[in-house]
Amino acid sequence: MLLRRIALAVALLSLISLPASAQRYYDNGRNATSRFEAPYDGQFAFVRLRYDRYPGWSYDYPDMEMNMMSILGQISSMKMTPNGRNILPMNDPALFKYPVAHISEPGYWVPSESDVKNLREYIQKGGFLIIDDFHYENEWAVFESAITRVLPDAKIVRLDVKHPIFNTFFQIPTLHIPYPGRLGERGLFGEFYGIHQDNDPSKPLQVIIDYNMDIGDYMEYSGSGFYLVDPSNEAFKLMINYIVYGHTR
C-alpha cells in the first residue's frame, strides 16, 4: 500500500508547479539566500548546510525540499514546520536544534575550521548527517578529506541493503539504482556508505553517504517527467528512510 501511495504522490507532483516569482528568485538554488531558518517550533524542518567557494550546496533547492516534504506529509503523520526548508552555515549554533542535516555536492566541500568544529560537535551530540550528490574518484577525494577533518578517526564502510537504514520506513528492495540522466544510462550506479558511532557496525549510523548518486536531483525533477518514475520513487523512499532513521535511531 505504501509503495502505491508514494508512486501516486510522485505522479501528483507533476501537477505542482512553482510560482513564476519563486522560479526566478531561486534559479535552482544558485541564488538562494546564504542563511534561512523558518521560525523554530519543534516540528520537522529540513536543514541544508551551506559551505563556501562553490554553489553546489544549494543545487536542487528549493524544489527537492518542497517535493520531498509534500510526499512525507502525505504518507506519514510527521508534523512539519511551515516553509521548513532551512539553509544554515555549518558553523551556525542553530544547527543543534535539528536532528538531521543535509550536504549537497560534497565533492567541492572545503570546510573552514569553525565549520569543522561545529559539525563535529553536532555529530558527537547525536546529529545525523546526509551526504548526497557526488561521483567519481576526484570528488570522493575532496569529500573524504573534508569528512576526516570533521571526524578524524572515522571509518567509512560500504552498506548493503540489509542495513537498518534501508528498512526503517520503507523496505528498500535493492540498492542497484542508476545515477540520474545520461551517467546512469551509461552504467553509473549508486554506492551507499556510512560512518557508525565508535566505528562499530552494531551501533547507529552518524553519517549516510550517497556516492555515484544524486537522489536530490531525482526528487527535484520528480514532477517534470524528466527522469524515470521507478528510480525517482526509490529516491524519495531513501530520503524518507534517512529522515526517519535520523529521528529514531
Side-chain angles (χ1 to χ4, degrees), residues 57-68:
W57 64 268
S58 67
Y59 289 177
D60 306 325
Y61 180 91
D63 302 51
M64 184 195 86
E65 284 90 333
M66 293 175 65
N67 293 342
M68 183 272 296

Side-chain angles (χ1 to χ4, degrees), residues 102 106 130-135 140 166 190-194 208-216 235 238-239 242:
H102 170 270
I130 300 168
I131 306 286
D132 182 55
D133 189 4
F134 70 127
H135 59 288
W140 177 272
F166 303 120
E191 301 174 19
F192 299 85
Y193 295 82
I208 181 71
I209 303 158
D210 302 338
Y211 175 56
N212 288 334
M213 179 49 56
D214 185 356
I215 66 173
L238 285 167
M239 181 60 82
Y242 297 168

Side-chain angles (χ1 to χ4, degrees), residues 64-170:
M64 184 195 86
E65 284 90 333
M66 293 175 65
N67 293 342
M68 183 272 296
M69 294 181 78
S70 174
I71 286 182
L72 185 59
Q74 292 179 56
I75 66 172
S76 78
S77 59
M78 185 176 287
K79 304 297 184 182
M80 289 180 282
T81 297
N83 197 27
R85 304 185 295 275
N86 294 349
I87 297 172
L88 297 179
M90 291 183 184
N91 59 6
D92 195 322
L95 176 59
F96 290 86
K97 298 176 184 176
Y98 305 98
V100 177
H102 170 270
I103 298 177
S104 175
E105 294 222 9
Y108 299 88
W109 169 37
V110 182
S112 68
E113 287 303 316
S114 61
D115 291 342
V116 166
K117 181 177 183 294
N118 202 56
L119 199 54
R120 180 186 302 135
E121 291 180 2
Y122 171 75
I123 293 171
Q124 289 175 341
K125 291 183 178 180
F128 182 67
L129 189 61
I130 300 168
I131 306 286
D132 182 55
D133 189 4
F134 70 127
H135 59 288
Y136 296 149
E137 293 180 358
N138 59 322
E139 293 191 9
W140 177 272
V142 174
F143 159 70
E144 188 173 31
S145 175
I147 199 66
T148 53
R149 287 177 59 203
V150 175
L151 299 171
D153 299 323
K155 293 182 180 178
I156 301 172
V157 297
R158 189 163 182 173
L159 306 177
D160 63 34
V161 75
K162 295 179 182 178
H163 193 282
I165 198 167
F166 303 120
N167 299 276
T168 298
F169 188 86
F170 291 102

